[in-house]
Amino acid sequence: MRRRTFTAGAAGAAGAALLAAAGCEAPGEGADGQDDGYGGGRAGSVTLTVLTHYASEPLASALESAVDAWNASHRRVRVRTAAVKFQDLLTTYMVRQAAGQGADILHPYCLWTGQLVRAGVLRPAPPGAARRIRRDFSAPAVAAASVAGTVYGYPTEVQTYALYYNRRLLREAGLGGPPRTWRELEDAAYRTARRDGHGNTLVQGFGLSRADDSTVVGQTLALLAAGGGTLLSPDGRRAAVGSTAGREVLGLERRLIERGAADPGVPLFRAFPSGRVAMTVNAGWWTASLRSAMGADYRDVGVAPVPGPAAAGHGTLATGFLLGVNARSRHPREAWEFLHWLNGVPVPAVRPGGSPERVAVSRMSSLQVSVGSMTGRAGDMRALLGAPGRGDPNLLPFVDALRYAVPEPNGPRAQRVRSLLRKNIEEVWTGRSTVDAALQTLTGQLDQELSRPS
């Protein structure tokens, strides 16, 4: 997954804005007054370790502010953080678990949930926590943090995908707004694309990126979901990408490349901010980076739902992370109490941008917004971002998408499935394979992979 560089503009105020209240509920009792079923004893002092990928700023400081606020008001249960780079996170979890050195609290990418559950790393959320997670978080976020209907943690950072577009480039091509259908998208891409006399790309009509797994797969799965398609069958045991929607999405991407409207060889994350890409599909985290990189030119950026076959429908991809408790932690009760305090208790917070108005949201929601991201608590996100016309309107389509986004499949072999998907997408992009041949190969590979014994 592409790990982005957040802007630090709001992060300096994160400590005060994040965590104005530090109270915790009675041990083992949730906000609804029912026993959470945490398990575990409570004698003596406890130190919990959180192992995350928040190794760089402003994420590291934002999380540390939250932990400092907990530690300032909880003497018996202390929390400390440890961080590794994202690309080392899964390996670190597995190696430390095998060595009996796993952290109490883990912060994995939801794609890995099934793999970590199968390996005995993650513990199911206790009944009270699971009940509140299902109640307070959007359905895609809950699904991403669950395996076979069992919730394994609190969703933290959640990303949905939408269409980014450059208003100026569309306007110069005579287009009055962003496309709503695949046919309109294809037409707009051809009309906005420009090359020089030597055939070099000046402006891409639609940006396709080969930067990493996340960008290659994320773009394609968002378009697939907008067309009503899915990568796997509902039970996750067979490939479903060979559907009509799958053929149409890969066919669309291949035509854009063949006809010069897309060039995956051009670095998208530099080309779009410099005004050399008219449209692309990406996740909501990018808005903060674009605001920082583009300055006054950011006014040209618009965001709209991912187009589909018809204008009436909506569909897109959701990805995310969860905070869960290690199956081998000796202090599960205390770990779940800390996670509830961080993710489940509304506290007063200020909206970003200097607004004096205070709203009641979870500490994690406030943390994520302070660094340009969001959580799966759609109510928190709307409260923090404010009413339409206030704040950055480009963020609202990503919040809206929490209602209908499709989470990445997160079964035990999800990482391998995604690698196979990327390889076959790029076979189509480079012309080494036709759409039909790539889908036939991919279907066979996925079905074989998913049939392996767990």
Side-chain angles (χ1 to χ4, degrees), residues 332-359:
R333 175 190 292 268
E334 291 84 354
W336 286 113
E337 286 175 0
F338 169 72
L339 292 185
H340 176 56
W341 175 91
L342 181 62
N343 298 275
V345 180
V347 296
V350 296
R351 285 177 172 153
S355 169
E357 186 177 358
R358 299 176 74 82
V359 293

Side-chain angles (χ1 to χ4, degrees), residues 27-53:
E29 186 173 297
D32 47 16
Q34 299 185 41
D35 187 351
D36 278 309
Y38 290 122
R42 297 188 57 82
S45 61
V46 170
T47 297
L48 303 172
T49 299
V50 182
L51 179 56
T52 180
H53 58 288

Side-chain angles (χ1 to χ4, degrees), residues 22-23 165 200 210-211 225 241 252 305 329 341 350 401 409 420 427:
Y165 62 96
N200 299 312
R210 297 178 65 183
V241 69
L252 169 63
S329 173
W341 175 91
V350 296
L420 291 170
E427 289 290 297

Side-chain angles (χ1 to χ4, degrees), residues 166-178 187-188 191-192:
N166 186 302
R167 291 187 177 91
R168 176 181 59 81
L169 293 175
L170 265 60
R171 185 171 59 249
E172 290 174 354
L175 299 166
D187 177 65
R191 290 173 63 174
T192 52

